[in-house]
Amino acid sequence: MTLDGATAHHSLRALLTDADTLSTIDCATPGETVAVIEYLMAICFASRTCPSSPQEWRTWITEEHPLGHAAEWLADQPDAAWDLFHLEAPLGQNAMLAPYIDENGTGTAQLVIEHAGDYNQHFDHHHLEHGEPLPAAEAFRAMLTQHVYAPYGRARMSGKEIGSTITNLAAGRLTGRIRVVALGRTLGETLRLNLYPPEDHAEPALNTSWTSGAIPRRTFTAKAKPRTPRSSADLHSALGRSVLLRPNRGQDGQVVVDRVLIGAGEVLELDPERHLQDAVLKVMTNGDAKPLWPSPTRALWRDAHALYGAVKNADTGLYARLRDLRYEKKGSGAPYHLWAVGLLANKALPVAWTQGSYPYAPGMARHLHHASFRGSTVAEYVADSLKSAAIVATEIVYPASRAADNAAQLARFDARWEFWPDAAQPFYELLDEVIEGGAEDDDPVSAPLVGYARTLVTSARTHLTHRLDSLPPNNRGHLARARAEQRFEDDMRRAKAPAELRGETAHD
């Protein structure tokens, strides 16, 4: 049984044809949305629907260059090349797994990163052997997400027939780092913002299947040797997993996927300058730099200044092109946003998606960098002061505690964990207010920063009060409350406190 090849074909064509009338694409998760954008970019590159120079890129943005050529290119492609269930070259898949899918395949939870866990353990209450069938379109999007975001680990299949190396899963191209997508007001503008001049004029190579096209594929008889992407189309459509989907008919007669098989895929050798156009490099404690990564303990907005710093300082790539844009204010709000997405994982186990969207207007990079850097600095200082207040209360209430109990006792009075989530919204409002101030204002940052700092202090006081409400109503409890609150207020007035907390202005 096959799926009509025109289904995927026509859906992708419709997205590109209507790109400038669609505000966005709505997928199940942030990672899936990024994966679809990556695939649309690959099609644009394969059809040569991309600017040839930074100057032409600016023209594409300002004149809203249509993407219809990519849709026309798709219309000229054979339907068989876009058939999700083609027997010899299924779209995005490895047909060489066909002899093993009935015996080694699992339920559809295996395909969905959020459900599959580490490919061996069920996760999110979905069991790999009893996953519900997936509609073909959902399975296609989940497969694209696997190709770019799948974590490393061990495949849940036997490698004795096809080779043991197929069970060794390498991390996907975007795993372990933050992917930044420049968002416009429409899907078309988003694609134009993220397309870039190809490195050369070699024949674009789109990965439609493991068993088709001119790109030589790895085998599974030896350890994979990383290959350098041949083109931008190749890069953005790389097959990071060997996937095979088994079709069936659903209860209403629609085509669904009922079994999947996943093994090792391609391993790419990436050059940061050529292949990581959106990467924001962050210097680690040892002096090395690596792309900004998702953290389970540090919210993305606390590093928003790194994104604006990249726009302010970059010589090449996405951020340099964004800095060179010109913008005439046509309405309220920012014309663009920098959308940062990452997959949090505990080793091989995916945990959650993390994301943040930060407003950007051309000419405002310096102001936004200053606001976001100072905003993060203020928030971290207030949070540290909450911890200091909690330590004061803990030492009074538990004067003779054991070292093993210290962490739990401190947590009783530590208001940071309520403070941090509440600090995010004022931070976003700060950035919006700076944008509204406009580039024509010599200083659109200082006044909003002071107001932001005042909001954070008020929030911190409230959370500290709630934490201290658990103190006993006796002399020791009253003393602990008074000294903890006094410690916090003293910290807000110290000379080393950020200037904004004292109602002053801090400059770059």
Side-chain angles (χ1 to χ4, degrees):
M1 179 176 58
T2 64
L3 174 70
D4 179 5
T7 301
H9 211 179
H10 288 164
S11 296
L12 292 165
R13 283 174 56 197
L15 277 178
L16 291 166
T17 299
D18 300 332
D20 285 309
T21 64
L22 300 172
S23 60
T24 185
I25 47 177
D26 185 18
C27 295
T29 66
E32 188 173 282
T33 301
V34 169
V36 173
I37 290 174
E38 289 275 333
Y39 202 68
L40 292 172
M41 289 175 60
I43 292 171
C44 288
F45 282 118
S47 63
R48 301 188 189 277
T49 310
C50 52
S52 60
S53 67
Q55 294 75 23
E56 186 177 0
W57 179 87
R58 287 194 295 273
T59 301
W60 274 44
I61 302 302
T62 57
E63 297 183 1
E64 299 182 354
H65 187 90
L67 301 174
H69 177 69
E72 294 169 2
W73 179 85
L74 271 175
D76 292 337
Q77 299 299 300
D79 283 348
W82 302 87
D83 185 344
L84 196 59
F85 302 121
H86 194 280
L87 293 178
E88 297 177 354
L91 182 63
Q93 300 163 67
N94 186 351
M96 293 188 292
L97 299 180
Y100 316 108
I101 191 168
D102 291 338
E103 179 179 351
N104 294 307
T106 70
T108 54
Q110 177 80 52
L111 186 65
V112 182
I113 287 178
E114 299 80 24
H115 298 166
D118 63 359
Y119 300 101
N120 286 288
Q121 300 296 322
H122 60 85
F123 177 70
D124 191 26
H125 305 295
H126 288 71
H127 196 284
L128 298 184
E129 294 298 341
H130 302 290
E132 290 293 322
L134 279 178
E138 290 184 24
F140 175 65
R141 295 193 299 269
M143 177 186 65
L144 294 182
T145 311
Q146 284 278 350
H147 284 320
V148 293
Y149 274 112
Y152 71 90
R154 297 285 293 178
R156 194 176 184 272
M157 62 178 291
S158 170
K160 62 183 179 181
E161 291 95 352
I162 199 170
S164 61
T165 56
I166 197 170
T167 65
N168 299 321
L169 305 178
R173 179 169 57 87
L174 300 182
T175 305
R177 79 171 182 92
I178 298 297
R179 171 66 159 106
V180 181
V181 177
L183 296 180
R185 298 185 186 274
T186 66
L187 173 61
E189 188 170 45
T190 293
L191 290 173
R192 286 188 290 270
L193 286 167
N194 293 281
L195 291 170
Y196 50 88
E199 191 170 281
D200 53 44
H201 298 285
E203 184 66 27
L206 185 70
N207 296 285
T208 53
S209 170
W210 194 274
T211 50
S212 63
I215 298 174
R217 308 293 175 190
R218 62 167 291 191
T219 66
F220 300 106
T221 57
K223 184 178 179 180
K225 293 182 179 179
R227 70 174 184 85
T228 301
R230 289 190 169 193
S231 67
S232 298
D234 178 15
L235 172 69
H236 292 281
S237 65
L239 304 176
R241 284 286 185 268
S242 281
V243 178
L244 190 61
L245 312 177
R246 191 179 75 178
N248 208 331
R249 289 288 178 187
Q251 293 181 347
D252 299 326
Q254 77 277 26
V255 179
V256 297
V257 171
D258 68 347
R259 302 290 282 178
V260 303
L261 189 58
I262 294 179
E266 297 186 298
V267 182
L268 300 181
E269 185 173 2
L270 301 178
D271 182 313
E273 291 188 7
R274 295 167 54 199
H275 304 128
L276 278 67
Q277 291 250 339
D278 66 293
V280 176
L281 297 182
K282 185 175 180 180
V283 178
M284 298 183 292
T285 54
N286 63 1
D288 293 337
K290 75 171 189 176
L292 187 65
W293 61 93
S295 169
T297 59
R298 185 178 177 85
L300 266 178
W301 64 265
R302 296 167 65 183
D303 284 317
H305 58 275
L307 277 66
Y308 294 125
V311 178
K312 184 166 68 82
N313 300 319
D315 295 324
T316 59
L318 170 66
Y319 302 107
R321 292 193 298 274
L322 288 173
R323 185 183 61 244
D324 290 343
L325 279 176
R326 297 294 176 262
Y327 169 62
E328 294 182 7
K329 197 167 185 179
K330 300 177 181 178
S332 61
Y336 313 119
H337 282 77
L338 301 177
W339 184 41
V341 178
L343 178 62
L344 286 169
N346 180 7
K347 297 181 179 178
L349 180 66
V351 176
W353 295 102
T354 181
Q355 63 172 321
S357 182
Y358 310 101
Y360 173 70
M364 294 291 293
R366 181 175 64 85
H367 297 310
L368 289 166
H369 178 262
H370 178 50
S372 56
F373 180 78
R374 295 301 303 174
S376 182
T377 299
V378 168
E380 293 191 27
Y381 182 86
V382 173
D384 288 344
S385 299
L386 286 173
K387 180 181 178 182
S388 297
I391 291 172
V392 169
T394 302
E395 289 175 345
I396 294 173
V397 175
Y398 305 105
S401 65
R402 299 181 304 166
D405 298 329
N406 287 349
Q409 291 165 351
L410 177 65
R412 176 183 175 184
F413 307 117
D414 193 345
R416 288 178 298 168
W417 315 121
E418 292 86 9
F419 167 77
W420 276 121
D422 275 4
Q425 187 58 35
F427 180 83
Y428 288 119
E429 292 172 358
L430 165 67
L431 298 179
D432 288 337
E433 192 171 350
V434 171
I435 290 281
E436 286 301 317
E440 64 275 5
D441 189 338
D442 290 337
D443 184 8
V445 179
S446 294
L449 266 175
V450 171
Y452 160 82
R454 190 180 302 116
T455 298
L456 261 55
V457 171
T458 300
S459 173
R461 286 192 183 115
T462 300
H463 291 305
L464 178 60
T465 297
H466 289 166
R467 281 284 179 164
L468 297 177
D469 283 346
S470 67
L471 286 165
N474 54 27
N475 288 340
R476 178 172 290 180
H478 295 321
L479 179 63
R481 177 186 290 275
R483 291 192 175 174
E485 290 178 342
Q486 188 60 52
R487 173 57 190 266
F488 180 78
E489 298 302 330
D490 289 345
D491 280 351
M492 296 302 100
R493 294 189 293 265
R494 293 185 192 279
K496 69 176 184 179
E500 296 85 356
L501 291 171
R502 303 190 303 275
E504 302 171 5
T505 299
H507 297 285
D508 290 325

